[in-house]
Amino acid sequence: MKRIPLLTVIGIACCVTGCGVMPSNTSSFPESTGTTSNQIIEKNSYNFTPQKPVIPYTGSEDKQELTAARFRDMDVYELQQPIDYPNFKYDWITTVVPKSGKPFSVDEVSTLLHLLDDTSEKVYVMKEGSSTWQPFVLKSQREIYRKLAIGYKLYSKVQFNASKDGYSKQQLINYKAGLEANLAKLPYASLTYNYTVEQATDVSHKMAWFIHKNSKWAVIRLKADGVYKGKDVWDVMMSVGLQYGANNHFYWYNTDFENASKTYMSAWTTTPKGYFNPENIRDGKVTTNELVFGFSIPRSIAPEEIFDAMYNIAQYAQSRLGGTITPPVNTENELKQIRTVVKSLQNENMITGTGDALYLFEEDDWVE
Protein backbone atom coordinates (compact mmCIF):
# COMPACT_ATOMS: atom_id res chain seq x y z
CA MET A 1 0.00 0.00 0.00
CA LYS A 2 1.31 3.42 -0.90
CA ARG A 3 2.23 5.29 2.29
CA ILE A 4 1.37 8.95 2.40
CA PRO A 5 3.64 11.66 3.82
CA LEU A 6 3.55 12.41 7.53
CA LEU A 7 2.30 15.96 7.13
CA THR A 8 -1.24 15.24 6.07
CA VAL A 9 -4.58 15.71 7.66
CA ILE A 10 -7.32 13.56 9.02
CA GLY A 11 -9.97 14.60 11.46
CA ILE A 12 -11.44 11.77 13.45
CA ALA A 13 -14.79 13.09 14.52
CA CYS A 14 -17.64 11.42 16.34
CA CYS A 15 -20.61 11.21 13.96
CA VAL A 16 -23.44 13.48 14.92
CA THR A 17 -27.01 13.57 13.73
CA GLY A 18 -29.12 16.59 13.20
CA CYS A 19 -26.41 18.69 11.57
CA GLY A 20 -26.97 20.79 8.51
CA VAL A 21 -25.57 18.26 6.07
CA MET A 22 -27.07 15.06 7.45
CA PRO A 23 -28.49 12.88 4.69
CA SER A 24 -32.00 11.61 5.29
CA ASN A 25 -32.16 8.45 3.22
CA THR A 26 -29.09 7.20 1.43
CA SER A 27 -30.04 3.63 0.68
CA SER A 28 -29.53 4.47 -3.00
CA PHE A 29 -27.75 7.25 -4.83
CA PRO A 30 -29.78 8.37 -7.86
CA GLU A 31 -28.48 10.73 -10.48
CA SER A 32 -29.79 14.27 -10.51
CA THR A 33 -33.16 14.69 -12.25
CA GLY A 34 -32.77 14.94 -16.00
CA THR A 35 -29.26 13.52 -16.30
CA THR A 36 -27.74 12.15 -19.45
CA SER A 37 -24.36 10.46 -19.76
CA ASN A 38 -22.49 13.72 -20.24
CA GLN A 39 -24.70 16.54 -19.07
CA ILE A 40 -27.71 17.49 -17.03
CA ILE A 41 -30.56 19.13 -18.90
CA GLU A 42 -33.22 21.34 -17.43
CA LYS A 43 -36.75 20.26 -18.37
CA ASN A 44 -39.82 22.41 -18.84
CA SER A 45 -42.33 21.37 -16.19
CA TYR A 46 -45.24 21.41 -18.65
CA ASN A 47 -44.12 19.63 -21.81
CA PHE A 48 -40.72 18.23 -20.67
CA THR A 49 -38.98 19.86 -23.64
CA PRO A 50 -35.21 19.88 -22.98
CA GLN A 51 -33.91 23.35 -22.31
CA LYS A 52 -30.33 24.60 -22.27
CA PRO A 53 -27.54 22.22 -21.19
CA VAL A 54 -26.47 22.53 -17.58
CA ILE A 55 -23.02 21.25 -16.74
CA PRO A 56 -20.64 18.58 -18.12
CA TYR A 57 -20.12 15.25 -16.39
CA THR A 58 -16.52 15.03 -17.57
CA GLY A 59 -13.68 17.04 -16.06
CA SER A 60 -11.18 19.21 -17.87
CA GLU A 61 -8.41 16.86 -16.66
CA ASP A 62 -8.34 13.08 -16.42
CA LYS A 63 -7.24 12.14 -12.90
CA GLN A 64 -9.58 9.22 -12.46
CA GLU A 65 -6.72 6.98 -11.43
CA LEU A 66 -7.22 8.56 -7.99
CA THR A 67 -10.54 6.70 -7.69
CA ALA A 68 -9.48 3.55 -9.51
CA ALA A 69 -7.84 1.95 -6.48
CA ARG A 70 -7.95 -1.80 -6.04
CA PHE A 71 -7.57 -2.99 -2.49
CA ARG A 72 -5.30 -5.71 -1.16
CA ASP A 73 -6.46 -8.98 0.36
CA MET A 74 -10.14 -8.23 -0.09
CA ASP A 75 -11.32 -11.75 -1.01
CA VAL A 76 -12.88 -11.98 2.44
CA TYR A 77 -15.54 -9.50 1.36
CA GLU A 78 -16.60 -11.65 -1.54
CA LEU A 79 -17.35 -14.37 1.01
CA GLN A 80 -19.37 -12.13 3.31
CA GLN A 81 -23.06 -12.72 2.81
CA PRO A 82 -25.68 -10.18 3.84
CA ILE A 83 -26.59 -10.70 7.46
CA ASP A 84 -29.53 -12.94 8.17
CA TYR A 85 -32.75 -11.16 9.02
CA PRO A 86 -34.10 -10.82 11.56
CA ASN A 87 -30.86 -10.10 13.36
CA PHE A 88 -30.98 -12.39 16.40
CA LYS A 89 -27.98 -10.66 17.99
CA TYR A 90 -29.05 -7.02 17.85
CA ASP A 91 -32.85 -7.27 17.49
CA TRP A 92 -35.44 -8.30 20.05
CA ILE A 93 -37.18 -11.06 18.14
CA THR A 94 -40.74 -12.18 18.73
CA THR A 95 -41.41 -15.43 16.89
CA VAL A 96 -45.06 -16.25 16.27
CA VAL A 97 -46.23 -19.79 15.43
CA PRO A 98 -49.77 -20.23 14.06
CA LYS A 99 -52.24 -22.80 15.26
CA SER A 100 -51.77 -26.29 13.87
CA GLY A 101 -52.98 -26.55 10.29
CA LYS A 102 -53.74 -22.83 10.06
CA PRO A 103 -50.74 -21.02 8.53
CA PHE A 104 -50.81 -17.24 8.44
CA SER A 105 -52.17 -15.64 5.28
CA VAL A 106 -50.91 -12.56 3.46
CA ASP A 107 -53.97 -10.64 4.64
CA GLU A 108 -53.31 -11.52 8.28
CA VAL A 109 -49.68 -10.41 8.12
CA SER A 110 -50.66 -7.25 6.23
CA THR A 111 -53.17 -6.38 8.95
CA LEU A 112 -50.48 -6.78 11.59
CA LEU A 113 -48.03 -4.70 9.59
CA HIS A 114 -50.46 -1.78 9.55
CA LEU A 115 -50.74 -1.95 13.33
CA LEU A 116 -46.99 -1.57 13.82
CA ASP A 117 -45.94 2.06 13.66
CA ASP A 118 -42.46 1.97 15.19
CA THR A 119 -39.76 2.36 12.54
CA SER A 120 -37.56 -0.01 14.53
CA GLU A 121 -40.00 -2.89 13.94
CA LYS A 122 -39.61 -5.13 10.92
CA VAL A 123 -41.81 -8.07 9.97
CA TYR A 124 -40.32 -11.30 8.62
CA VAL A 125 -42.00 -14.47 7.38
CA MET A 126 -41.09 -18.09 6.81
CA LYS A 127 -43.03 -19.65 3.96
CA GLU A 128 -44.61 -23.06 4.12
CA GLY A 129 -41.95 -25.62 3.15
CA SER A 130 -39.09 -23.21 3.85
CA SER A 131 -36.64 -22.81 6.73
CA THR A 132 -35.42 -19.34 5.71
CA TRP A 133 -36.61 -15.99 7.01
CA GLN A 134 -37.31 -13.21 4.56
CA PRO A 135 -38.69 -9.69 4.93
CA PHE A 136 -42.44 -9.59 4.41
CA VAL A 137 -43.33 -8.08 1.05
CA LEU A 138 -46.89 -7.97 -0.20
CA LYS A 139 -46.62 -9.98 -3.41
CA SER A 140 -49.07 -12.83 -3.79
CA GLN A 141 -52.38 -13.36 -2.05
CA ARG A 142 -51.77 -17.09 -2.31
CA GLU A 143 -48.67 -17.17 -0.10
CA ILE A 144 -48.96 -18.72 3.34
CA TYR A 145 -46.49 -18.64 6.20
CA ARG A 146 -45.61 -21.21 8.82
CA LYS A 147 -43.91 -18.67 11.08
CA LEU A 148 -43.88 -14.95 11.62
CA ALA A 149 -41.22 -12.82 13.33
CA ILE A 150 -41.13 -9.23 14.45
CA GLY A 151 -37.62 -7.84 14.77
CA TYR A 152 -37.21 -4.81 17.04
CA LYS A 153 -33.83 -3.14 16.66
CA LEU A 154 -32.54 -2.52 20.17
CA TYR A 155 -30.59 0.64 19.42
CA SER A 156 -30.33 3.22 16.64
CA LYS A 157 -28.45 6.53 16.82
CA VAL A 158 -30.97 8.10 14.48
CA GLN A 159 -33.93 6.75 16.42
CA PHE A 160 -32.48 7.90 19.75
CA ASN A 161 -31.41 11.27 18.32
CA ALA A 162 -27.76 10.43 19.05
CA SER A 163 -28.39 9.72 22.75
CA LYS A 164 -25.84 7.40 24.33
CA ASP A 165 -28.53 5.57 26.27
CA GLY A 166 -30.39 2.51 25.10
CA TYR A 167 -33.91 1.46 25.98
CA SER A 168 -34.87 1.37 29.64
CA LYS A 169 -36.42 -1.75 31.10
CA GLN A 170 -39.78 0.02 31.44
CA GLN A 171 -39.73 1.12 27.79
CA LEU A 172 -39.23 -2.46 26.68
CA ILE A 173 -41.93 -3.72 29.02
CA ASN A 174 -44.31 -1.19 27.45
CA TYR A 175 -43.26 -2.18 23.94
CA LYS A 176 -43.80 -5.89 24.68
CA ALA A 177 -47.28 -5.23 26.07
CA GLY A 178 -48.29 -3.18 23.03
CA LEU A 179 -46.93 -5.75 20.61
CA GLU A 180 -48.74 -8.60 22.30
CA ALA A 181 -51.98 -6.62 22.20
CA ASN A 182 -51.59 -6.31 18.43
CA LEU A 183 -50.61 -9.96 18.03
CA ALA A 184 -53.78 -10.98 19.88
CA LYS A 185 -55.60 -10.22 16.64
CA LEU A 186 -53.82 -13.20 15.03
CA PRO A 187 -54.80 -16.85 15.64
CA TYR A 188 -51.45 -18.02 16.96
CA ALA A 189 -50.37 -21.04 19.00
CA SER A 190 -47.27 -19.61 20.68
CA LEU A 191 -45.03 -16.57 21.13
CA THR A 192 -41.32 -16.86 21.92
CA TYR A 193 -38.63 -14.25 22.47
CA ASN A 194 -34.91 -14.47 21.89
CA TYR A 195 -34.28 -12.26 24.96
CA THR A 196 -36.01 -11.64 28.26
CA VAL A 197 -36.84 -8.01 29.03
CA GLU A 198 -33.78 -7.81 31.25
CA GLN A 199 -31.53 -9.30 28.58
CA ALA A 200 -32.94 -7.01 25.88
CA THR A 201 -32.32 -3.98 28.11
CA ASP A 202 -28.71 -5.06 28.65
CA VAL A 203 -28.17 -5.62 24.92
CA SER A 204 -29.64 -2.20 24.13
CA HIS A 205 -27.30 -0.39 26.54
CA LYS A 206 -24.26 -2.30 25.28
CA MET A 207 -25.19 -1.45 21.68
CA ALA A 208 -25.50 2.23 22.59
CA TRP A 209 -22.06 2.25 24.19
CA PHE A 210 -20.44 0.33 21.33
CA ILE A 211 -22.00 2.41 18.55
CA HIS A 212 -21.07 5.74 20.12
CA LYS A 213 -17.55 4.57 20.88
CA ASN A 214 -16.92 3.56 17.26
CA SER A 215 -19.03 6.02 15.26
CA LYS A 216 -15.95 7.80 13.90
CA TRP A 217 -15.36 9.49 10.57
CA ALA A 218 -12.07 10.06 8.79
CA VAL A 219 -12.22 13.64 7.54
CA ILE A 220 -9.93 15.90 5.52
CA ARG A 221 -10.86 19.56 5.21
CA LEU A 222 -9.68 21.93 2.50
CA LYS A 223 -10.12 25.60 3.50
CA ALA A 224 -10.28 28.22 0.76
CA ASP A 225 -8.12 31.33 0.92
CA GLY A 226 -11.23 33.19 -0.20
CA VAL A 227 -14.04 31.23 -1.80
CA TYR A 228 -14.27 28.33 -4.23
CA LYS A 229 -16.54 28.80 -7.22
CA GLY A 230 -19.06 26.04 -7.75
CA LYS A 231 -18.05 25.42 -11.36
CA ASP A 232 -14.40 24.98 -10.35
CA VAL A 233 -15.34 22.54 -7.58
CA TRP A 234 -17.57 20.58 -9.98
CA ASP A 235 -14.77 20.32 -12.54
CA VAL A 236 -12.32 19.01 -9.94
CA MET A 237 -14.78 16.38 -8.72
CA MET A 238 -15.50 15.21 -12.25
CA SER A 239 -11.77 15.15 -13.06
CA VAL A 240 -10.96 12.75 -10.20
CA GLY A 241 -13.92 10.49 -10.99
CA LEU A 242 -16.26 11.36 -8.12
CA GLN A 243 -19.92 11.27 -9.06
CA TYR A 244 -22.72 13.60 -8.18
CA GLY A 245 -25.39 11.83 -6.15
CA ALA A 246 -27.82 11.88 -3.24
CA ASN A 247 -28.11 14.96 -1.03
CA ASN A 248 -26.24 16.95 -3.68
CA HIS A 249 -22.89 15.55 -2.53
CA PHE A 250 -20.12 13.85 -4.50
CA TYR A 251 -19.32 10.16 -4.05
CA TRP A 252 -16.69 7.58 -4.83
CA TYR A 253 -18.94 4.61 -5.39
CA ASN A 254 -18.19 0.99 -4.58
CA THR A 255 -18.65 -0.98 -7.80
CA ASP A 256 -16.55 -3.98 -6.78
CA PHE A 257 -17.99 -5.57 -3.64
CA GLU A 258 -21.65 -6.55 -3.64
CA ASN A 259 -22.11 -6.95 0.10
CA ALA A 260 -20.12 -3.91 1.23
CA SER A 261 -21.03 -0.27 1.74
CA LYS A 262 -22.24 1.44 -1.43
CA THR A 263 -19.64 4.21 -1.24
CA TYR A 264 -15.97 4.51 -0.37
CA MET A 265 -15.98 8.23 0.47
CA SER A 266 -17.93 11.43 0.00
CA ALA A 267 -17.21 15.11 -0.59
CA TRP A 268 -19.40 17.96 0.61
CA THR A 269 -19.21 21.42 2.16
CA THR A 270 -20.27 22.91 5.48
CA THR A 271 -20.80 26.30 3.86
CA PRO A 272 -24.55 27.01 3.91
CA LYS A 273 -26.57 25.44 2.41
CA GLY A 274 -24.15 22.56 2.88
CA TYR A 275 -24.52 20.95 -0.53
CA PHE A 276 -24.02 21.41 -4.26
CA ASN A 277 -26.77 21.81 -6.85
CA PRO A 278 -25.90 21.47 -10.56
CA GLU A 279 -28.46 24.02 -11.74
CA ASN A 280 -27.24 26.60 -9.23
CA ILE A 281 -23.63 25.85 -10.13
CA ARG A 282 -24.46 26.40 -13.78
CA ASP A 283 -26.02 29.76 -12.97
CA GLY A 284 -22.99 30.88 -10.94
CA LYS A 285 -24.94 30.91 -7.66
CA VAL A 286 -22.67 28.54 -5.71
CA THR A 287 -19.57 29.50 -3.79
CA THR A 288 -18.08 27.78 -0.77
CA ASN A 289 -15.20 28.48 1.58
CA GLU A 290 -14.51 24.86 2.48
CA LEU A 291 -14.54 21.35 1.02
CA VAL A 292 -14.84 18.29 3.24
CA PHE A 293 -13.75 14.79 2.21
CA GLY A 294 -14.70 11.94 4.47
CA PHE A 295 -16.02 8.47 5.20
CA SER A 296 -17.41 6.51 8.11
CA ILE A 297 -14.65 4.27 9.46
CA PRO A 298 -16.89 1.39 10.63
CA ARG A 299 -18.76 1.47 7.30
CA SER A 300 -15.53 1.47 5.27
CA ILE A 301 -14.41 -1.68 3.51
CA ALA A 302 -10.73 -0.65 3.63
CA PRO A 303 -10.33 2.46 5.78
CA GLU A 304 -6.54 2.82 5.64
CA GLU A 305 -6.33 2.39 1.88
CA ILE A 306 -9.30 4.66 1.27
CA PHE A 307 -7.80 7.31 3.54
CA ASP A 308 -4.60 7.20 1.46
CA ALA A 309 -6.62 7.70 -1.71
CA MET A 310 -8.75 10.42 -0.12
CA TYR A 311 -5.65 12.35 0.88
CA ASN A 312 -4.38 12.20 -2.70
CA ILE A 313 -7.76 13.48 -3.92
CA ALA A 314 -7.65 16.35 -1.41
CA GLN A 315 -4.11 17.22 -2.51
CA TYR A 316 -5.20 17.29 -6.15
CA ALA A 317 -8.15 19.54 -5.26
CA GLN A 318 -5.73 21.83 -3.41
CA SER A 319 -3.44 21.99 -6.44
CA ARG A 320 -6.36 23.05 -8.63
CA LEU A 321 -8.33 25.26 -6.26
CA GLY A 322 -5.76 26.54 -3.77
CA GLY A 323 -6.42 26.76 -0.06
CA THR A 324 -5.06 24.90 2.96
CA ILE A 325 -5.54 21.34 4.17
CA THR A 326 -6.26 21.84 7.83
CA PRO A 327 -5.67 21.24 10.67
CA PRO A 328 -2.22 19.66 10.45
CA VAL A 329 -2.23 16.29 12.22
CA ASN A 330 0.38 13.58 12.48
CA THR A 331 -0.76 10.97 9.98
CA GLU A 332 0.53 7.95 11.85
CA ASN A 333 -1.32 8.95 15.00
CA GLU A 334 -4.54 9.36 13.07
CA LEU A 335 -4.12 6.06 11.23
CA LYS A 336 -3.66 4.49 14.66
CA GLN A 337 -7.10 5.80 15.57
CA ILE A 338 -8.54 4.21 12.43
CA ARG A 339 -6.95 0.91 13.42
CA THR A 340 -8.44 1.25 16.90
CA VAL A 341 -11.96 1.31 15.42
CA VAL A 342 -11.15 -1.61 13.11
CA LYS A 343 -9.84 -3.62 16.07
CA SER A 344 -12.84 -2.75 18.22
CA LEU A 345 -15.17 -4.13 15.56
CA GLN A 346 -13.02 -7.21 15.09
CA ASN A 347 -13.35 -7.92 18.81
CA GLU A 348 -17.11 -8.15 18.21
CA ASN A 349 -16.55 -10.46 15.20
CA MET A 350 -17.35 -7.68 12.74
CA ILE A 351 -15.56 -6.64 9.57
CA THR A 352 -15.75 -2.95 8.74
CA GLY A 353 -17.82 -2.12 5.69
CA THR A 354 -20.00 -5.21 5.62
CA GLY A 355 -22.44 -7.41 7.55
CA ASP A 356 -23.28 -6.35 11.10
CA ALA A 357 -21.08 -3.25 10.83
CA LEU A 358 -23.40 -1.86 8.16
CA TYR A 359 -26.42 -2.87 10.22
CA LEU A 360 -25.28 -1.09 13.38
CA PHE A 361 -23.60 1.97 11.86
CA GLU A 362 -26.31 3.52 9.75
CA GLU A 363 -25.97 5.60 6.61
CA ASP A 364 -27.88 8.40 8.26
CA ASP A 365 -24.93 9.08 10.56
CA TRP A 366 -23.05 12.12 9.25
CA VAL A 367 -20.43 14.61 10.30
CA GLU A 368 -20.21 18.39 10.07
Side-chain angles (χ1 to χ4, degrees), residues 109-270:
V109 180
S110 296
T111 299
L112 174 65
L113 191 61
H114 289 304
L115 294 173
L116 305 178
D117 57 3
D118 193 313
T119 56
S120 293
E121 288 177 294
K122 305 296 181 185
V123 177
Y124 306 93
V125 289
M126 191 177 289
K127 294 181 183 179
E128 279 289 311
S130 173
S131 60
T132 303
W133 289 108
Q134 63 184 50
F136 175 69
V137 179
L138 185 59
K139 290 183 178 179
S140 170
Q141 293 295 323
R142 293 186 296 273
E143 285 187 347
I144 54 177
Y145 310 109
R146 70 184 189 89
K147 283 185 182 181
L148 172 67
I150 297 91
Y152 190 59
K153 192 172 185 181
L154 285 169
Y155 185 79
S156 161
K157 276 187 70 178
V158 175
Q159 167 202 0
F160 277 81
N161 195 27
S163 165
K164 295 181 180 180
D165 296 322
Y167 286 110
S168 69
K169 180 178 177 180
Q170 188 59 52
Q171 285 176 310
L172 293 180
I173 289 173
N174 294 343
Y175 164 72
K176 184 173 182 284
L179 175 63
E180 290 181 355
N182 287 328
L183 289 173
K185 299 174 175 62
L186 289 179
Y188 66 83
S190 66
L191 296 180
T192 56
Y193 294 88
N194 63 328
Y195 294 128
T196 66
V197 171
E198 291 77 13
Q199 289 170 335
T201 304
D202 184 57
V203 169
S204 183
H205 285 291
K206 287 180 178 177
M207 286 172 64
W209 174 84
F210 180 79
I211 291 170
H212 277 270
K213 174 186 175 184
N214 295 291
S215 288
K216 309 291 185 180
W217 275 63
V219 175
I220 297 175
R221 299 178 187 272
L222 181 60
K223 295 277 190 180
D225 296 327
V227 295
Y228 298 133
K229 294 181 179 179
K231 287 185 179 180
D232 295 334
V233 172
W234 182 278
D235 186 68
V236 166
M237 299 302 175
M238 296 302 103
S239 293
V240 300
L242 297 186
Q243 297 180 40
Y244 175 78
N247 307 293
N248 298 301
H249 296 168
F250 300 97
Y251 297 91
W252 177 9
Y253 286 112
N254 163 27
T255 58
D256 299 313
F257 303 104
E258 179 181 359
N259 298 322
S261 179
K262 298 179 181 67
T263 63
Y264 293 139
M265 58 153 286
S266 312
W268 66 97
T269 180
T270 60

